[in-house]
């Protein structure tokens, strides 16, 4: 190529570049550079001033969405199961449970468009259904006061208010016996604690005095262990939980508290019963863990 031709070509390229720069500077509207005919309402456009390529998806203009996607939250087990059966499939729907029993946290999640078992069956994983079982009022009451101290009258009132939860388990006090104990506590709330004595039955007998001359002595019994029967989840079955009854005396003042024995194990048991129902009614693969962990 001659020097003259080279110079003319360079001049032409310079003119083209100047025209492009001028267009880029002066044109304000985006320019469509590609349109997908197979999938309507998807466009790729060049955007000024730097003319970067962007994709615009106007799926909302379509008569119907291209595929199902949602993130729903259900309020009960039946609704969770029904939604899975309505929208999920055996091959592409998975069930997950994230559980921290010691912290009292339970959450179920279903991915209705999860990856298939075969490597040729990927999916979007963006259609989900979540469900966190709600705790019963009884569970919230008893776990809420676990290891918290009561004065005599406060403890008596608590037992009376929650008397239906006391379970008459063999070897443990009945509801009537717990109520009698609570009434005795309330009747002696203004008396000074004197002493306690363990009885052969396993109960503890307390002695109270009205004044320091010991002219009036009242006796009552306290059981070291008792049991409650309460549902863990709202509208669920009742489970037995053992509890220890504790007391402390400071300057003649008697205080009580109770300690539920391994409530986390009760929560785990009722959760596994719920998992069994969900698995039997859906038939989908079930996993413990976080399906979106990074």
């Amino acid at each position: 190529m001659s020097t003259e031709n080279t110079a003319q070509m360079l001049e032409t390229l310079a003119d083209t570049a100047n025209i492009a720069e001028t267009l880029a500077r002066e044109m304000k509207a985006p320019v469509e550079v590609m349109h997908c005919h197979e999938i309507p309402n998807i466009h790729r456009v060049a955007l000024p001033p730097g003319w970067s390529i962007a994709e615009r998806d106007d799926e909302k203009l379509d008569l119907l969405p291209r595929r199902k996607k949602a993130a729903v939250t259900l309020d009960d087990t039946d609704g969770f199961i029904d939604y899975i059966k309505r929208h999920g499939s055996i091959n592409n729907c998975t069930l997950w449970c994230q559980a921290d029993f010691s912290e009292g946290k339970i959450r179920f999640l279903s991915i209705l468009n999860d990856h298939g078992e075969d490597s040729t069956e990927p999916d979007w994983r963006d259609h989900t259904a979540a469900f966190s079982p709600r705790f019963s009022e009884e569970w919230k009451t008893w776990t809420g006061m676990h290891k918290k101290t009561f004065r005599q009258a406060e403890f008596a009132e608590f037992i009376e208010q929650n008397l239906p939860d006391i379970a008459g388990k063999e070897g443990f006090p009945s509801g009537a016996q717990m109520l009698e104990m609570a009434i005795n506590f309330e009747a002696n709330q203004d008396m000074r604690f004197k002493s306690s004595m363990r009885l052969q039955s396993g109960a503890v007998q307390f002695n109270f005095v009205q004044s320091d001359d010991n002219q009036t002595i009242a006796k009552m019994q306290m059981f070291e262990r008792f049991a409650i029967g309460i549902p863990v989840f709202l509208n669920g079955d009742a489970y037995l939980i053992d509890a220890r009854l504790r007391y402390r005396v400071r300057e003649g003042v008697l205080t009580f508290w109770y300690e539920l024995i391994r409530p986390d194990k009760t929560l785990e048991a009722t959760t596994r019963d719920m998992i069994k129902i969900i698995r039997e009614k859906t038939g989908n693969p079930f996993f413990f863990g976080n399906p979106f962990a990074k």
Side-chain angles (χ1 to χ4, degrees), residues 151-154 156 183-193 208 220 252-254:
R151 289 184 176 273
Q152 286 173 235
E154 293 172 339
I183 292 172
N184 286 334
F185 281 168
E186 197 164 21
N188 288 278
Q189 62 178 303
D190 295 326
M191 301 177 72
R192 188 171 63 83
F193 174 78
F208 291 85
M220 61 185 178
V253 177
L254 185 61

Side-chain angles (χ1 to χ4, degrees), residues 83-198:
Y83 192 88
I84 293 168
K85 293 173 70 174
R86 180 181 178 87
H87 296 284
S89 69
I90 295 298
N91 293 330
N92 294 84
C93 176
T94 56
L95 305 177
W96 300 77
C97 179
Q98 293 175 269
D100 187 336
F101 299 118
S102 60
E103 293 293 327
K105 296 179 180 179
I106 309 295
R107 183 174 185 265
F108 293 96
L109 182 71
S110 173
I111 304 176
L112 292 112
N113 58 346
D114 206 342
H115 301 316
E117 191 172 6
D118 194 285
S119 61
T120 62
E121 297 178 316
D123 214 325
W124 290 97
R125 308 186 86 220
D126 60 359
H127 187 187
T128 62
F131 166 54
S132 295
R134 288 184 287 179
F135 291 106
S136 69
E137 290 302 316
E138 295 91 339
W139 176 267
K140 289 188 287 186
T141 295
W142 285 95
T143 57
M145 297 306 294
H146 171 61
K147 294 185 178 181
K148 294 186 179 180
T149 58
F150 300 83
R151 289 184 176 273
Q152 286 173 235
E154 293 172 339
F155 184 70
E157 183 180 1
F158 181 84
I159 293 297
E160 289 181 83
Q161 289 177 346
N162 299 283
L163 190 65
D165 301 335
I166 304 298
K169 181 179 175 182
E170 185 177 355
F172 287 70
S174 65
Q177 290 171 316
M178 291 289 288
L179 178 60
E180 182 182 1
M181 177 186 69
I183 292 172
N184 286 334
F185 281 168
E186 197 164 21
N188 288 278
Q189 62 178 303
D190 295 326
M191 301 177 72
R192 188 171 63 83
F193 174 78
K194 180 185 179 186
S195 63
S196 64
M197 179 177 63
R198 188 175 304 279

